[in-house]
């Protein structure tokens, strides 16, 4: 379940996307190091999937969205394993401009 503030951030990002022209959306799933890697993978992936689901409801085509699951490998705040850090539990949306070359082959 996405928070209202998360939905507002996603909506703002989608408005920016409209101004950028042809772009792909990359959603990165992240989690902190407070649990084992198997559980972290499912949590970070689920977080990214929730963002994708919301973006799809806004009319973005499935092929325009990619999910990358980073788990705990790219923390904003470095911690030891077993330490919870709320800033590391997040989804990040990146807008990736598509060149004309990619547009021509139907990317």
């Amino acid at each position: 379940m996405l928070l209202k503030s998360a939905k507002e951030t996603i909506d703002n990002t989608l408005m920016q996307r409209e101004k950028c022209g042809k772009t792909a959306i990359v959603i990165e799933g992240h989690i902190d190091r407070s649990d084992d890697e198997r559980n972290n993978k499912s949590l970070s992936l689920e977080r990214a999937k929730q963002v994708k689901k919301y973006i799809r409801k806004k009319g973005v085509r499935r092929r325009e969205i990619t999910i990358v699951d980073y788990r705990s490998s790219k923390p904003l705040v470095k911690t030891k394993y077993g330490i919870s850090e709320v800033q590391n539990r997040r989804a990040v949306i990146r807008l990736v401009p598509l060149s004309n070359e990619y547009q021509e082959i139907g990317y």
Side-chain angles (χ1 to χ4, degrees), residues 74-91:
K74 294 191 173 201
L76 288 177
V77 178
K78 301 234 182 224
T79 62
K80 294 180 181 181
Y81 283 96
I83 304 296
S84 178
E85 176 52 60
V86 70
Q87 292 180 55
N88 292 335
R89 298 188 302 257
R90 68 199 189 281

Side-chain angles (χ1 to χ4, degrees), residues 57-104:
K57 285 183 181 178
K58 294 292 183 171
V60 177
R61 293 179 294 194
R62 181 175 286 122
R63 71 178 190 199
E64 297 176 44
I65 305 168
T66 301
I67 290 179
V68 181
D69 183 17
Y70 284 115
R71 299 181 222 167
S72 62
S73 67
K74 294 191 173 201
L76 288 177
V77 178
K78 301 234 182 224
T79 62
K80 294 180 181 181
Y81 283 96
I83 304 296
S84 178
E85 176 52 60
V86 70
Q87 292 180 55
N88 292 335
R89 298 188 302 257
R90 68 199 189 281
V92 175
I93 303 171
R94 300 203 187 278
L95 301 178
V96 181
L98 299 176
S99 70
N100 289 334
E101 178 180 323
Y102 290 117
Q103 292 173 22
E104 289 174 10

Side-chain angles (χ1 to χ4, degrees), residues 32-77:
D32 65 18
R33 296 179 172 189
S34 65
D35 210 341
D36 68 60
E37 277 299 306
R38 284 181 302 217
N39 192 37
N40 279 347
K41 180 178 181 181
S42 66
L43 291 172
S44 58
L45 188 56
E46 183 58 33
R47 181 172 282 122
K49 285 180 178 180
Q50 288 297 317
V51 173
K52 180 179 179 178
K53 182 178 177 182
Y54 182 78
I55 290 173
R56 291 273 299 126
K57 285 183 181 178
K58 294 292 183 171
V60 177
R61 293 179 294 194
R62 181 175 286 122
R63 71 178 190 199
E64 297 176 44
I65 305 168
T66 301
I67 290 179
V68 181
D69 183 17
Y70 284 115
R71 299 181 222 167
S72 62
S73 67
K74 294 191 173 201
L76 288 177
V77 178

